[in-house]
Amino acid sequence: MNRIAVALPLVLALGACGSDADEPPTDLDVAVSDGEAEALARQIEAGDFLDLQLGAKIVGPQGEEVESALSNPEGNFADMRSFVACPAGMKTCDPAKAPEGTVYTYVHVVYPGEDNEDDSGSGEGNDSSDIERATVFRMTRPATGFTGAAGYSKDEAMAAIGPKADVVVTCDKGALVWTVSAGDGGDQWEQAEPLTFWWQSTVPPAGPAEAYAITANYTQATGSGPYPGQAAGATNACEAPPAKG
């Protein structure tokens, strides 16, 4: 499996905050196999969502944002709101008119359980159960056109999980995976706590596709969101060969 690992030093930046500051952080960036060691040797720093400079959003049939539920036969396990934005300075985001080389930022706001909005996502009463622990958000298809830039909202992670929050982004067979951990016990990423995840691609979306999943309450649920269209010759940083030392 060819992977890029992104170890996110949230604990180092926030370790002095909160009552749990003296507790040891979770440690998802320690290799326990040769494959993981190879991945960690290629780690990059994830960007904070608040640091992004975004322009206009793509307007599709559902408007600027796509709302969906991540579900399985047992029920709905999360709401998700997604959008795709052009770079800062672009007042309209129309892929048909965008200049060559435009980088598109895919943004997914994931709410375990529900978002408490009756008229969006799963809606009132449609969540399967109270989500006590969500641990993974991921793509289920290769990240077409992925530039190598990805991240999440560190402020939201701090608000949801606290100073022990640890988020690691890896690539699994060309798809991006965000692993969210707070260690054993204590605060977890749980019911109705939004976390924003983002990644960038050189390929614009072709429309919503069944391409995303959450692991919550130890089960996986899938759903649709904006996904890049087909693009001959598009690269994917998840599938790039390892850098030679």
Side-chain angles (χ1 to χ4, degrees), residues 109-167:
V109 187
V110 182
Y111 301 77
E114 61 180 341
D115 64 1
N116 295 324
E117 297 290 340
D118 294 349
D119 58 352
S120 65
S122 296
E124 184 178 15
N126 290 330
D127 52 299
S128 63
S129 62
D130 183 49
I131 303 301
E132 296 180 353
R133 176 180 291 193
T135 55
V136 174
F137 173 68
R138 63 166 295 153
M139 300 179 67
T140 58
R141 301 186 184 188
T144 304
F146 177 46
T147 65
Y152 72 111
S153 171
K154 296 183 179 181
D155 280 357
E156 288 176 352
M158 181 65 177
I161 305 169
K164 291 185 67 175
D166 194 10
V167 182

Side-chain angles (χ1 to χ4, degrees), residues 20 23 132-133 160-162 164 182-190:
D20 296 330
E23 296 183 14
E132 296 180 353
R133 176 180 291 193
I161 305 169
K164 291 185 67 175
D184 294 329
D187 288 338
Q188 300 290 330
W189 181 31
E190 54 192 342

